Amino acid sequence: MYNNESAGPALDEFLDLLGQRVRLKGFTKYRAQLDNKTDSTGTHSLYTTYKDYELMFHVSTMLPYTPNNRQQLLRKRHIGNDIVTIVFQEPGALPFTPKNIRSQFQHVFVIVRVHSPCTDNVCYSVAVSRSKDVPPFGPPIPKSVTFPKSAVFRDFLLAKVINGENAAHKSEKFRAMATRTRQEYLKDLAENFVSTATIDSAVKFSFITLGAKKKEKIKARKEAHLFSVGAITWSVCTRDFGQSMDVDCLLGISNEFIVLIEEESKNVVFNCSCRDVIGWTSGIMSIKIFYERGECIMLSAHDNCGEDIREMVQRLEVMPFKILL
């Protein structure tokens, strides 16, 4: 796959849908480690934006081709270090298997197969292959459905790619890597940026006695925990519409994500970014949270605890959601 020297018409058509070709030399926006000074990583690449994200794609046929080099290390250096990879297939291509890829970083493959390329009836089918420790992520792919070439399909695919990257970061491997990186940063701070100056506790500072006025007590902010950056959790009952049954879960709402974890299996059954929440409706004992293109999850409080629903609403109101009304 790394040895394709140029893109065919079907791939060019797909790339034009996905983003815009940009000249790398002098490019000032997000470049994904591509060279924007000397053309060492190619002259052009594919760039686009989606919501608040900038995306620069490492396109195999746009990266430098090295004759007589089967591994194409200049290409593998970039694509092999990406977490999410889009595999484009033309009609008649053999089924894709991630076993053909050797990489420590590629955890999610989004396979896009084109049908009737370069015609008025062009459409695409999508499948996903992910590592075992990467949790499921949306938007869901309808079974046996092909997507016509459109802005709707482009948005669907970009959302899938971004959510795949976020989900991969929750895997055990990337969690361990992030922990190790934080430890190295803290070690560097402790060894190289700690002051050797000490404060003599025996010295009495005159300003301490200046204020004869009694210090006012600072009142604790009411329900301050609802403004926490980290996740706040509630025990809830969620409706599984696929199996027409209720499932006991833990709901977690952080400053970045909403997550549902099934209490019995400890599996993540739902997660989405706060950016994707578009609104909610609540009753005395239940709440519906709407996300992405109008999908929703329905949650009920346990043990007639309507106070939990009130707290969920308060938590949602202070989160940085983009509410579309």
Side-chain angles (χ1 to χ4, degrees), residues 213-221:
K213 184 179 178 181
K214 185 178 180 181
K215 186 177 180 180
E216 295 181 2
K217 292 184 179 180
I218 300 176
K219 294 183 179 179
R221 186 174 187 175

Side-chain angles (χ1 to χ4, degrees), residues 186-252:
L186 289 171
K187 181 180 178 182
D188 181 57
L189 285 171
E191 292 179 352
N192 300 314
F193 297 96
V194 173
S195 173
T196 57
T198 59
I199 298 177
D200 187 354
S201 59
V203 176
K204 295 184 178 180
F205 296 98
S206 59
F207 66 80
I208 294 179
T209 59
L210 290 178
K213 184 179 178 181
K214 185 178 180 181
K215 186 177 180 180
E216 295 181 2
K217 292 184 179 180
I218 300 176
K219 294 183 179 179
R221 186 174 187 175
K222 186 179 180 181
E223 297 174 335
H225 66 286
L226 295 175
F227 296 82
S228 167
V229 173
I232 300 176
T233 61
W234 295 268
S235 181
V236 298
C237 181
T238 184
R239 186 67 176 172
D240 186 341
F241 292 101
Q243 302 184 36
S244 298
M245 59 183 294
D246 293 330
V247 181
D248 290 334
C249 294
L250 288 176
L251 168 69

Side-chain angles (χ1 to χ4, degrees), residues 126-228:
V126 180
V128 171
S129 176
R130 56 186 170 84
S131 298
K132 291 181 179 179
D133 58 344
V134 174
F137 55 91
I141 302 174
K143 292 183 179 179
S144 304
V145 168
T146 57
F147 299 86
K149 184 176 75 171
S150 65
V152 172
F153 171 60
R154 172 188 175 276
D155 289 351
F156 171 87
L157 192 59
L158 293 179
K160 195 71 174 173
V161 167
I162 293 170
N163 288 344
E165 173 109 1
N166 291 333
H169 281 288
K170 300 174 186 176
S171 68
E172 187 59 35
K173 177 177 179 178
F174 284 100
R175 191 191 305 273
M177 290 172 61
T179 301
R180 188 166 60 249
T181 300
R182 285 194 295 269
Q183 288 174 342
E184 290 300 319
Y185 278 132
L186 289 171
K187 181 180 178 182
D188 181 57
L189 285 171
E191 292 179 352
N192 300 314
F193 297 96
V194 173
S195 173
T196 57
T198 59
I199 298 177
D200 187 354
S201 59
V203 176
K204 295 184 178 180
F205 296 98
S206 59
F207 66 80
I208 294 179
T209 59
L210 290 178
K213 184 179 178 181
K214 185 178 180 181
K215 186 177 180 180
E216 295 181 2
K217 292 184 179 180
I218 300 176
K219 294 183 179 179
R221 186 174 187 175
K222 186 179 180 181
E223 297 174 335
H225 66 286
L226 295 175
F227 296 82
S228 167

Side-chain angles (χ1 to χ4, degrees), residues 13-268:
E13 181 182 39
F14 175 66
L15 295 179
D16 290 339
L17 171 66
L18 208 55
Q20 60 184 23
R21 298 162 201 263
V22 295
R23 180 75 170 91
L24 284 175
K25 197 168 187 177
F27 188 74
T28 58
K29 297 179 181 179
Y30 177 64
R31 57 188 176 89
Q33 288 77 51
L34 295 176
D35 182 7
N36 63 351
K37 295 181 180 179
T38 64
D39 290 341
S40 66
T41 56
T43 60
H44 292 76
S45 191
L46 195 72
Y47 171 87
T48 192
T49 58
Y50 175 72
K51 294 188 177 180
D52 291 335
Y53 293 94
E54 287 184 272
L55 293 90
M56 177 67 83
F57 294 91
H58 295 146
V59 183
S60 175
T61 53
M62 290 184 173
L63 292 166
Y65 174 77
T66 309
N68 303 319
N69 184 338
R70 290 185 63 226
Q71 292 198 39
Q72 296 297 330
L73 293 180
L74 287 176
R75 293 177 171 182
K76 191 174 182 181
R77 168 191 160 200
H78 292 284
I79 300 175
N81 286 316
D82 289 331
I83 296 174
V84 179
T85 307
I86 297 177
V87 178
F88 180 79
Q89 293 188 320
E90 296 185 0
L94 295 175
F96 171 79
T97 170
K99 293 181 179 180
N100 294 333
I101 305 292
R102 291 185 178 181
S103 169
Q104 296 295 317
F105 289 92
Q106 290 171 293
H107 275 50
V108 177
F109 295 93
V110 180
I111 301 94
V112 178
R113 182 182 285 253
V114 64
H115 307 276
S116 305
C118 303
T119 69
D120 293 338
N121 299 318
V122 60
C123 59
Y124 302 91
S125 54
V126 180
V128 171
S129 176
R130 56 186 170 84
S131 298
K132 291 181 179 179
D133 58 344
V134 174
F137 55 91
I141 302 174
K143 292 183 179 179
S144 304
V145 168
T146 57
F147 299 86
K149 184 176 75 171
S150 65
V152 172
F153 171 60
R154 172 188 175 276
D155 289 351
F156 171 87
L157 192 59
L158 293 179
K160 195 71 174 173
V161 167
I162 293 170
N163 288 344
E165 173 109 1
N166 291 333
H169 281 288
K170 300 174 186 176
S171 68
E172 187 59 35
K173 177 177 179 178
F174 284 100
R175 191 191 305 273
M177 290 172 61
T179 301
R180 188 166 60 249
T181 300
R182 285 194 295 269
Q183 288 174 342
E184 290 300 319
Y185 278 132
L186 289 171
K187 181 180 178 182
D188 181 57
L189 285 171
E191 292 179 352
N192 300 314
F193 297 96
V194 173
S195 173
T196 57
T198 59
I199 298 177
D200 187 354
S201 59
V203 176
K204 295 184 178 180
F205 296 98
S206 59
F207 66 80
I208 294 179
T209 59
L210 290 178
K213 184 179 178 181
K214 185 178 180 181
K215 186 177 180 180
E216 295 181 2
K217 292 184 179 180
I218 300 176
K219 294 183 179 179
R221 186 174 187 175
K222 186 179 180 181
E223 297 174 335
H225 66 286
L226 295 175
F227 296 82
S228 167
V229 173
I232 300 176
T233 61
W234 295 268
S235 181
V236 298
C237 181
T238 184
R239 186 67 176 172
D240 186 341
F241 292 101
Q243 302 184 36
S244 298
M245 59 183 294
D246 293 330
V247 181
D248 290 334
C249 294
L250 288 176
L251 168 69
I253 304 178
S254 76
N255 206 27
E256 297 183 41
F257 298 101
I258 294 181
V259 181
L260 275 174
I261 301 175
E262 186 178 0
E263 290 192 6
E264 183 176 353
S265 66
K266 310 302 181 187
N267 291 329
V268 176

